[in-house]
Amino acid sequence: MPRLGDESGTTGASFGARALVLADVLAESSDSPEYLACTYMTLAHRAVAARLREWMRIAGMTASIDAVGNVVGRYPSERPDAKTVIVGSHYDTVLNAGKYDGRLGILSALLAIEELHRTGRKLPFNIELIAFSEEEGVRFSSPYLGSSAVAGKFDMSLLPRRDAGGYGLADTLAAAGFDPHAIPALARKREDLAGYLELHIEQGPILLGEGLPVGVVTSIAGAVRYSVVVTGTAGHAGTVPMQMRHDAAAAAAELTLLVETRARQAPGLVGTVGRLTVPNGAINVIPGRCEMSFELRAGEDAMRDAALADVLAGIKAIQQRRGVTIDAKEVLRSPAVPCTPRIQKLFGDAVARAGITPRLLPSGAGHDAVMFDKLTDLGMLFVRCGNGGISHSPLETITAADADIGVRILLDVLVNYQS
Ligand SMILES: [Zn+2]
């Protein structure tokens, strides 16, 4: 019997080659004819969900779509009292997306479970493969809609929220045939869970740079974000002498370099000024006001907060020296989520058994796994991203050989998992 994604009609194709074929099939459904976009509850999004449900059934699972649009496949244990290991990632995408962000994790688990089923192997725990409906936060500006529901953290106050076209979240769900009031009941019970596993494309250049196909995630970075207004004194660009100026943009530039310089001082720490504007700026006017943002991320909260303290102290110094006012407001603070040591070890051992040096690395990007923090043991495997590590772009690439290693390691971890 041909296996999922095996176009050759034989049983010759590798897991990795098949995963890439299946990712191509999913990418045929898009909100746009010009690029890949699969945002929450669009026709393309529903088509992808239906396809995943069909594939899960072919792979030997019972499968259904829940009230928030997650596709849930179940590969039961033979033990009636068995706990459940969730393997998940998301099937929604950003606009103008790559084909593997989120989906590689779903397809890798799908092929691993198909292999268990094909070889008649049952495990001492149930596996739930969950293709989460929403992680990117594109349509309703709120990420993790799918995984938050399963983790019992869905925010029901989001239901009246509207998308850019004016459609409400609750109405959108109802129009697609879903009952938003059934979402709280999707929460899994802590005592039923034996862990959460996620495979994901790295979305960065570290593994590529080191020549490694996979890496074991140690933690998912937390972030602090600040919104900043710098107020100086506007003036004539030709008449005000340099030593008498209070230039808001020059102060903002200094702050930008401070964030960069401080973030460079510790490996695993990153700092970014993503917004930087001179509202109504003109070429012959000294900037009187500058609006900007900065964020700091690290795999450890203490490292991040030490950097933040230095940046805030620097802001004070810039204000005094330049005679400007800098109003910096914290707009987001999310803690780093550590991956459970025993699951890091399980992944590391499986990587070593595959003949690869286990490389531990933090994740700078958020993932569905963060929703399972403090609910159950969790761990992640990264697969090398090609093309310089570009992601959230059609330039995102992965090789069949790397995808193959990812599926094999996931399968190894499942088989050796201690629930
Ligand atoms: Zn993702």
Side-chain angles (χ1 to χ4, degrees), residues 12 15 46 51 88 98 118 143 158 173 180 189 233 239 253 280 319 327 347 391 409:
F15 289 120
R46 304 321 309 134
R51 204 155 237 166
R118 198 180 64 82
L158 292 173
L173 279 165
K189 291 195 193 82
T233 309
T239 61
N280 306 314
Q319 287 192 103
D327 181 24
F347 273 117
S391 182
I409 289 171

Side-chain angles (χ1 to χ4, degrees), residues 186-197:
L186 301 179
R188 302 300 194 271
K189 291 195 193 82
R190 176 184 303 272
E191 58 271 24
D192 294 341
L193 294 180
Y196 175 85
L197 307 175

Side-chain angles (χ1 to χ4, degrees), residues 168-181:
L169 174 53
D171 295 344
T172 299
L173 279 165
F178 295 92
D179 175 10
H181 300 288

Side-chain angles (χ1 to χ4, degrees), residues 320-334:
Q320 280 169 7
R321 189 157 20 81
R322 291 181 169 273
V324 298
T325 310
I326 303 180
D327 181 24
K329 240 195 302 207
E330 188 171 303
V331 291
L332 176 135
R333 176 175 288 259
S334 66

